[in-house]
Amino acid sequence: MSHVLHRSLDATLPTVVGGDGNFLIDESGKRYLDACGGAAVSCLGHDNERVRSAIKRQIDRVAFAHTSFFTNEPAEELASFLVERAPEGTGDGRVMFLGSGSEAMEAALKLARQYHLERGEAARTRIIARAPSYHGNTLGALATGGHAGRRAPFRPLLMDVGHIDAAYEYRMRHDGESEAAFAERMANLLDQRIRELGPDTVMAFVAEPVVGASLGTQPAPRGYFQRIREICDRHGVLLIADEVMCGMGRTGSLFALEQEGIAADITTLAKGLGAGFQPIAAVMAAEKVVAAIQNGSGLLWNGHTYMSHAVATAGALAVQKVIQDQNLLENVRARGEQLRDALNARFGQNPNIGDVRGRGLFWTVELVADKASKASFPAAARLSQKIQRAALDLGLMCYPAQGCADGTNGDHVLLAPSYTSTPDEIARIVDLLARAVETVLNKVEK
Ligand SMILES: Cc1ncc(COP(=O)(O)O)c(C=O)c1O
């Protein structure tokens, strides 16, 4: 019997004992092609030599020195690396390094509050976010996320966050509505909500530039984020981009927002930052936010013991250099096109695949019981989990999720393969996924 408090208390998990390129290996020797990076984490596969060496080198020098006494070289270099490559408009920003995406989201929310307090706008306390969305599991991040199922048990503990609809093209774009009109209509929901709450009370709007697990790799319609930027600026509201899942190259550019032509005031990063070799997350504050603190208290009102951990930042720095030196973003774009085309070719005519959506190496298939009405399968059927199981039997890891349609129902399966994926691996991913989907759908009562 295991004494680990696992996610499921009655599941029997295989024990992982090794990594080989984009494969994981369990104790029986079975190999799993990792098509989802666990949860869009392992963007360089599982055994990158350069990253492993960088981590070992740092441990041999010094692992930990508390940030109230020292800074360290890898944290300094990684912060400069990120700020130099940040979307235009970020200016001379600064970065804090933390341990998880949820921790980064908490720190981002507190930073937004500090920004307004430093500028004498104490009434700004309200957060607006989108639904569906996921921003983490700690209480502030959970309150911010728009995922009804995950929030439900903790509702009495959650702060009051206003949610607007995310731009979910498959279900929300009207017939005949142009992309521009859809973008404008969805972005204007923010303007309306800010006015309802009172512009002087709103501190931040939080959004994932490409929505991750909650909605299934949903990019925004063209022009949406430009309009969001204008609305935030008009009302003095900070824009927080949660790039924990979609950032660091996953969508084909280092920062997902680059492709929208705007910069956020605060950006959170995690998964692809360290690629899973070490736990690490980051909060990047744009120059405007840093300036407010510099002109105010001069102090960051946030701190954690393991901030700027030298081994974690050394690992992440090596990850980012590998991505840059091996030109892997080009591979993300090329293999991403291959993945998109292969998914459309394989699933386009399938009566139970309602939508194929994504960007870069970040793709999702959404399952429906009926294509014409877009009706979902009931959540209790646990279709996406069954597909994950069937795929695992075939030696493929994919990421199942539920709730995209209405917070509870709506099955989708997310793919986030490694940036080092080969054409053969992408073809194999689609082939195995199609077999897993077919196996499960054949057993479903229709
Ligand atoms: C968009 C987004 N934000 C925040 C988080 C929380 O990150 P973590 O699980 O590292 O706390 C996640 C995790 O999946 C995420 O996808």
Side-chain angles (χ1 to χ4, degrees), residues 80-91:
S80 301
F81 184 102
L82 294 172
V83 169
E84 281 159 19
R85 288 159 184 77
E88 204 181 325
T90 305

Side-chain angles (χ1 to χ4, degrees), residues 39 99-103 105 134-137 141 208 210 212-213 242-246 268 270-271 281 399:
S100 71
S102 301
E103 213 181 318
M105 285 309 301
Y134 180 63
H135 297 297
N137 249 334
E208 298 166 77
V210 176
D242 179 349
E243 296 212 9
V244 163
M245 200 179 231
C246 64
T268 54
K271 298 164 187 271
Y399 186 122

Side-chain angles (χ1 to χ4, degrees), residues 370-398:
D370 177 53
K371 218 163 172 166
S373 67
K374 301 185 182 175
S376 304
F377 287 98
R382 297 180 64 77
L383 210 68
S384 50
Q385 285 82 358
K386 286 178 184 161
I387 292 170
Q388 179 195 34
R389 193 63 260 158
L392 273 179
D393 288 345
L394 296 168
L396 181 79
M397 291 166 60
C398 57

